[in-house]
C-alpha cells in the first residue's frame, strides 16, 4: 500500500488493463549507484566490482517482478580506474537490454559494457561503441535463470579491473538504461492487441506510456508509423533506444537487417530540435536523448518508423522491434509543504527536495555514507526533512514540530534493524507493506521501511526515534494528499441528500448518518472520524482524514455506497408501503388457506 496514484498513473493502469495486462505499477524511481554519490571517493575504495556488484533492485528481487514495465534507469558516475557492476536477477528465455547515454552525446566518454554470468571475465557479451559516439549498447538472450552482472568500464579495460584512461579529469556521469523482456513482452503496442483498442498510427492515437518509461514489443508493417506518448516536465530527460528483431526469433538483430528511425514531437506536434535519429545506435538501429527545457512541459510523442517513412518514402520490409524508453525526472514543481520546523533537542534539521543521491541526515554529509540510493516512485518530487542522526536516542514527545501548508501525506522512513517502534508511530502511522527507502550506510543491512499518515494543513507533531534496535534516526517526507485515487480516496457527491453513507475499508464497514443540508466536506470529515474511532481499524493501523469534499484513508477502500432517506409522503415511499402491504396480504392469505 503506497501513496495514492496520480491521474496519469491511473490512466496507465486502465491502458494496461485494456491490453489484458493486470500488472502492478513500477515500484521505484530512477536508481542511483551509491558509489561516488554525491562526492568522489578517493582511491575508488567502494567501487562496485564483479564480486561486489550493486543489486538492482536493492533487495535483489527478479528484474521483471520489481520493474513490471520492463525498464530501469540507473544514474552512475565513472572516474579514473573505476568500474561499476550491477547484479540483476533474470530468468531463462528472457532478454536483457542495455544502452548507455551521457550528456555529451558520446563525444567525450568512451565506455565499454559487458554482461557476465559469474564474477570473472570473459564477458558473455561485450560492447564498446554500439551506441552514439563512443557509448555502448548491447543485448543478451538469457539461457540460464539466476544472477547476471552487467558492468560499465572505460575503453580498453577488457579485464574489467578498472585499467582504463577514461574520466581522469574527474567524475563523468552516465545514464544506463536497462530493459528486460519475456517472450512475448508483457507490454505491446496497441496494434498488436486483440479487440477494440484501435491503432497507434497517429499523433492523436499514440499509446500512453507509463510515467517513467517502459519496454514494449511492437511491429512495423510496410508503410506503418507507431506513436507513443509520455508526459514530461521541465528538466526531465528522456532516453529512447530501438532494437530491431530477427525474423521469427526472440533476439535483436543488432541493426543488421532492418532500418528503423525514431522521432520526437513536442506537445504542439512539432519535431523537437535534434529530435530525429536514424543510425546512431547498433547497426541501423536508432536512439536519442532529450532534455526538456523550461516551458516545454506536456505530452510528447515518440514516433518509430522504417527508414525515411516520415518523408513519405517507404524502403523497408515489415519487421518487429523492441522500444526501450526511460525518463529521468527533473522535479521542477516540488510543492513547498513544510515550514516552521523545530526539534526538542535544538539540533538542526533541514528541509529539502527529495532526490536520489542526496544525503539524508543534516549532520551526516561525509562521502559514501548516509546517501539515498533509490526512492519509491510515488515519493518522487516530494519535500522532506533531513533529520539529525544525533537525535536517534531521543524519547521526547513532541520532538519534531512543523507546519503543513496544505493537506498532505507524511511518510516516516524508520530503521529496518529496529525490533520495535516508539508508541507515537505504532498508534499513529500505517506501515507500507514491502516498500523500502534504499540507502547507503556504513551498515549495509540498514534500509528505511516506510509508514504513512495523512494530515490536515496545520501543525504536525512527531515523537522521538528511540526504540530497541533503531540505530539510526528516522527521516520524514511529505507530498500533497492525492484525492483522485480510487484505492485510497473518493469524493463525496454533491448535493448530499439526507440518508446514510457506508464505506468498507480493509473488510470493515463504517456507517455515518447524513443530516439535512450537510455539505460534502462535512460528510467526508464525519466518515474520517468514524474510521478513526473504529477499534478494529485502529488495530489494523488504518486512519483517515476529510480533505475538502474528499475522504482519504491509509487503508484500501473496497466499497462506498449511499442510501438516501425516503420522505414518508413521497410517491416512492407510498409505493413502497403499498407493495409492503400487498406482500403482507399475500403471505396472510397463504397462511390461512393451508
Amino acid at each position: 500500500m503506497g501513496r495514492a496514484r496520480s491521474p496519469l498513473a491511473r490512466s496507465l493502469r486502465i491502458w494496461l488493463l485494456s491490453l489484458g495486462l493486470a500488472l502492478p505499477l513500477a515500484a521505484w524511481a530512477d536508481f542511483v549507484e551509491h558509489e561516488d554519490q554525491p562526492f568522489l571517493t578517493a582511491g575508488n575504495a567502494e567501487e562496485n566490482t564483479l564480486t561486489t556488484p550493486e543489486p538492482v533492485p536493492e533487495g535483489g528481487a527478479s528484474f521483471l517482478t520489481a520493474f513490471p514495465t520492463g525498464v530501469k534507469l540507473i544514474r552512475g558516475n565513472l572516474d579514473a580506474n573505476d568500474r561499476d557492476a550491477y547484479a540483476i536477477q533474470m530468468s531463462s528465455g528472457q532478454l536483457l537490454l542495455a544502452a548507455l547515454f551521457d550528456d555529451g552525446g558520446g563525444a567525450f566518454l568512451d565506455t565499454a559494457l559487458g554482461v557476465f554470468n559469474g564474477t570473472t571475465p570473459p564477458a558473455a557479451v561485450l560492447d564498446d561503441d554500439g551506441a552514439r559516439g563512443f557509448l555502448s549498447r548491447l543485448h543478451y538472450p538469457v539461457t540460464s535463470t539466476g544472477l547476471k552482472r552487467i558492468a560499465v568500464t572505460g575503453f580498453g579495460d577488457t579485464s574489467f579491473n578498472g585499467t582504463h584512461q577514461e574520466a581522469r579529469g574527474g567524475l563523468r556521469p552516465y545514464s544506463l538504461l536497462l530493459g528486460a523482456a519475456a517472450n512475448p513482452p508483457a507490454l505491446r503496442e496497441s496494434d498488436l492487441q486483440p479487440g477494440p483498442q484501435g491503432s497507434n498510427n497517429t499523433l492523436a492515437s499514440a499509446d500512453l506510456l507509463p510515467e517513467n518509461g517502459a519496454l514494449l514489443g511492437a511491429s512495423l508493417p510496410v508503410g506503418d508509423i507507431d506513436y507513443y506518448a509520455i508526459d514530461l516536465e521541465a528538466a526531465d530527460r528522456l532516453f529512447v533506444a530501438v532494437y530491431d528483431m530477427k525474423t521469427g526469433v526472440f533476439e535483436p538483430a543488432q541493426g543488421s537487417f532492418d532500418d528503423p528511425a525514431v522521432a520526437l514531437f513536442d506537445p504542439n506536434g512539432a519535431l523537437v530540435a535534434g529530435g530525429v535519429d536514424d543510425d546512431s545506435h547498433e547497426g541501423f538501429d536508432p536512439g536519442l536523448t532529450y532534455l526538456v527545457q523550461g516551458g516545454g512541459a506536456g505530452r510528447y510523442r515518440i514516433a518509430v518508423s522504417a527508414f525515411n517513412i516520415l518523408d513519405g518514402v517507404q524502403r523497408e520490409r515489415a519487421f518487429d522491434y523492441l522500444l526501450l524508453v526511460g525518463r529521468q525526472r527533473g522535479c521542477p514543481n516540488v510543492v513547498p509543504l513544510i515550514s516552521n520546523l523545530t526539534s526538542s533537542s535544538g539540533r538542526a534539521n533541514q528541509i529539502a527536495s527529495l532526490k536520489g543521491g542526496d544525503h539524508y541526515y543534516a549532520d551526516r554529509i561525509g562521502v559514501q555514507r548516509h546517501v539515498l540510493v533509490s526512492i519509491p516512485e510515488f515519493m518522487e518530487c516530494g519535500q522532506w526533512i533531513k533529520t539529525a542522526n544525533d537525535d536517534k536516542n531521543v524519547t521526547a514527545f513532541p520532538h519534531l514540530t512543523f507546519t503543513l501548508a496544505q493537506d498532505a501525506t507524511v511518510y516516516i522512513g524508520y530503521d529496518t534493524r529496529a525490533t520495535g517502534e516508539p508508541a507515537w508511530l505504532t498508534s499513529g502511522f500505517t506501515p507500507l507493506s514491502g516498500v523500502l527507502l534504499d540507502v547507503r550506510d556504513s551498515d549495509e543491512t540498514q534500509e528505511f521501511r516506510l509508514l504513512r499518515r495523512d494530515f490536515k494543513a496545520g501543525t504536525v507533531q512527531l515523537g522521538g526515534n528511540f526504540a530497541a534496535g533503531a540505530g539510526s534516526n528516522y527521516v520524514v517526507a511529505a507530498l500533497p494528499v492525492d484525492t483522485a485515487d480510487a484505492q485510497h480516496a473518493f469524493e463525496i457527491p454533491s448535493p448530499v441528500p439526507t440518508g446514510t453513507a457506508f464505506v468498507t475499508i480493509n473488510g470493515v464497514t463504517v456507517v455515518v448518518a447524513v443530516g439535512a443540508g450537510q455539505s460534502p466536506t462535512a460528510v467526508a470529515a464525519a466518515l474520517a472520524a468514524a474510521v478513526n474511532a473504529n477499534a478494529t481499524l485502529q488495530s489494523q493501523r488504518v486512519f483517515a482524514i476529510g480533505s475538502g469534499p474528499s475522504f482519504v484513508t491509509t487503508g484500501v477502500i473496497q466499497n462506498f455506497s449511499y442510501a438516501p432517506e425516503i420522505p414518508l409522503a413521497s410517491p416512492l415511499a407510498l409505493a413502497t408501503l403499498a407493495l409492503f402491504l400487498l406482500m403482507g396480504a399475500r403471505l396472510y392469505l397463504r397462511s390461512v388457506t393451508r
Side-chain angles (χ1 to χ4, degrees):
M1 192 272 296
R3 176 176 173 255
R5 296 190 181 103
S6 66
L8 173 60
R10 293 196 312 280
S11 66
L12 162 62
R13 178 165 291 277
I14 293 169
W15 180 69
L16 292 176
L17 292 174
S18 74
L19 303 184
L21 300 167
L23 293 177
L25 296 176
W28 303 99
D30 57 308
F31 188 97
V32 183
E33 68 153 327
H34 66 246
E35 183 195 1
D36 301 331
Q37 293 288 338
F39 304 109
L40 171 65
T41 300
N44 303 97
E46 298 182 13
E47 62 185 345
N48 310 312
T49 67
L50 288 172
T51 54
T52 59
E54 188 164 0
V56 181
E58 282 289 300
S62 69
F63 191 93
L64 282 177
T65 298
F67 314 122
T69 55
V71 68
K72 191 66 203 162
L73 180 65
I74 296 175
R75 291 184 284 156
N77 286 280
L78 201 66
D79 58 82
N81 301 319
D82 185 22
R83 63 272 170 89
D84 298 331
Y86 305 95
I88 303 163
Q89 286 284 352
M90 301 285 291
S91 297
S92 179
Q94 294 178 350
L95 275 175
L96 173 61
L97 307 176
L100 273 168
F101 298 83
D102 75 349
D103 292 344
F108 304 107
L109 180 62
D110 193 352
T111 58
L113 192 61
V115 175
F116 299 80
N117 286 313
T119 60
T120 58
V125 60
L126 176 68
D127 182 79
D128 178 18
D129 298 330
R132 182 183 296 273
F134 296 121
L135 293 174
S136 310
R137 167 178 141 142
L138 55 75
H139 74 275
Y140 177 62
V142 178
T143 57
S144 61
T145 298
L147 196 68
K148 310 303 170 187
R149 294 164 173 83
I150 186 163
V152 181
T153 190
F155 168 71
D157 183 17
T158 56
S159 297
F160 281 79
N161 61 9
T163 305
H164 60 79
Q165 300 297 313
E166 296 304 309
R168 292 198 170 272
L171 292 179
R172 295 302 303 268
Y174 64 81
S175 298
L176 175 61
L177 189 59
L178 292 180
N183 185 15
L187 302 184
R188 293 184 289 170
E189 63 161 324
S190 56
D191 274 353
L192 298 181
Q193 300 302 319
Q197 283 78 25
S199 70
N200 61 338
N201 296 339
T202 67
L203 284 170
S205 63
D207 289 335
L208 180 61
L209 297 176
E211 59 185 348
N212 281 348
L215 185 152
L216 288 93
S219 182
L220 274 176
V222 174
D224 187 27
I225 304 177
D226 294 331
Y227 291 92
Y228 306 91
I230 187 166
D231 290 327
L232 303 175
E233 295 181 315
D236 283 358
R237 188 176 289 277
L238 180 69
F239 303 91
V240 180
V242 177
Y243 293 75
D244 74 314
M245 300 295 285
K246 294 181 179 178
T247 302
V249 180
F250 189 58
E251 183 179 346
Q254 298 177 279
S256 300
F257 303 109
D258 305 299
D259 194 356
V262 65
L264 182 65
F265 296 86
D266 68 18
N268 297 318
L271 276 170
V272 304
V276 178
D277 185 76
D278 181 17
D279 299 331
S280 71
H281 279 203
E282 200 167 31
F284 296 121
D285 282 346
L288 58 81
T289 181
Y290 180 72
L291 176 64
V292 180
Q293 303 297 325
R299 181 159 293 178
Y300 285 72
R301 271 82 171 179
I302 301 163
V304 180
S305 71
F307 172 67
N308 261 3
I309 196 173
L310 291 177
D311 67 4
V313 180
Q314 168 67 298
R315 296 183 173 89
E316 293 296 312
R317 62 174 184 170
F319 62 91
D320 295 335
Y321 66 92
L322 295 177
L323 174 68
L324 194 58
V325 178
R327 174 194 181 196
Q328 179 179 310
R329 300 191 67 175
C331 297
N333 301 310
V334 175
V335 178
L337 292 171
I338 304 170
S339 62
N340 303 322
L341 174 62
T342 61
S343 69
S344 65
S345 67
R347 293 189 178 97
N349 297 268
Q350 182 181 350
I351 301 169
S353 297
L354 184 63
K355 60 182 179 181
D358 200 2
H359 289 298
Y360 50 85
Y361 289 131
D363 57 353
R364 298 290 192 276
I365 56 173
V367 297
Q368 290 303 317
R369 296 181 59 182
H370 305 105
V371 173
L372 289 173
V373 175
S374 186
I375 61 175
E377 185 173 282
F378 57 80
M379 293 178 70
E380 275 192 319
C381 304
Q383 195 176 46
W384 70 313
I385 299 172
K386 298 182 182 184
T387 57
N389 198 31
D390 284 345
D391 282 343
K392 60 188 176 184
N393 293 323
V394 170
T395 59
F397 187 93
H399 167 55
L400 284 185
T401 301
F402 54 91
T403 302
L404 291 174
Q406 64 185 71
D407 298 353
T409 298
V410 173
Y411 296 95
I412 304 296
Y414 199 72
D415 193 342
T416 53
R417 299 168 299 180
T419 57
E421 293 176 351
W424 63 270
L425 198 60
T426 302
S427 62
F429 280 77
T430 306
L432 275 64
S433 177
V435 183
L436 295 175
L437 191 66
D438 289 327
V439 298
R440 174 64 174 175
D441 187 76
S442 53
D443 180 353
E444 296 200 8
T445 65
Q446 186 211 348
E447 307 291 348
F448 286 117
R449 61 186 182 88
L450 288 169
L451 303 95
R452 169 191 173 184
R453 181 73 185 254
D454 301 317
F455 289 90
K456 300 288 291 180
T459 301
V460 174
Q461 294 180 328
L462 306 176
N465 178 81
F466 184 77
S472 294
N473 198 16
Y474 62 80
V475 294
V476 184
L479 297 102
V481 165
D482 187 343
T483 59
D485 174 30
Q487 188 176 18
H488 300 291
F490 60 84
E491 186 172 334
I492 306 297
S494 180
V496 184
T498 303
T500 306
F502 305 82
V503 62
T504 303
I505 302 167
N506 287 23
V508 178
T509 300
V510 296
V511 181
V512 169
V514 180
Q518 276 194 289
S519 68
T521 296
V523 174
L527 282 171
V531 167
N532 294 332
N534 185 279
T536 303
L537 291 175
Q538 285 180 1
S539 69
Q540 296 181 16
R541 301 174 66 171
V542 170
F543 310 99
I545 66 167
S547 182
S550 294
F551 168 83
V552 184
T553 178
T554 59
V556 177
I557 299 169
Q558 278 109 23
N559 184 57
F560 170 69
S561 59
Y562 190 84
E565 181 181 11
I566 303 174
L568 184 61
S570 70
L572 178 59
L574 293 175
T576 302
L577 179 61
L579 179 61
F580 175 78
L581 293 174
L582 178 60
M583 292 177 64
R586 286 181 176 178
L587 289 173
Y588 173 76
L589 290 173
R590 286 180 183 177
S591 66
V592 298
T593 55
R594 285 179 178 175

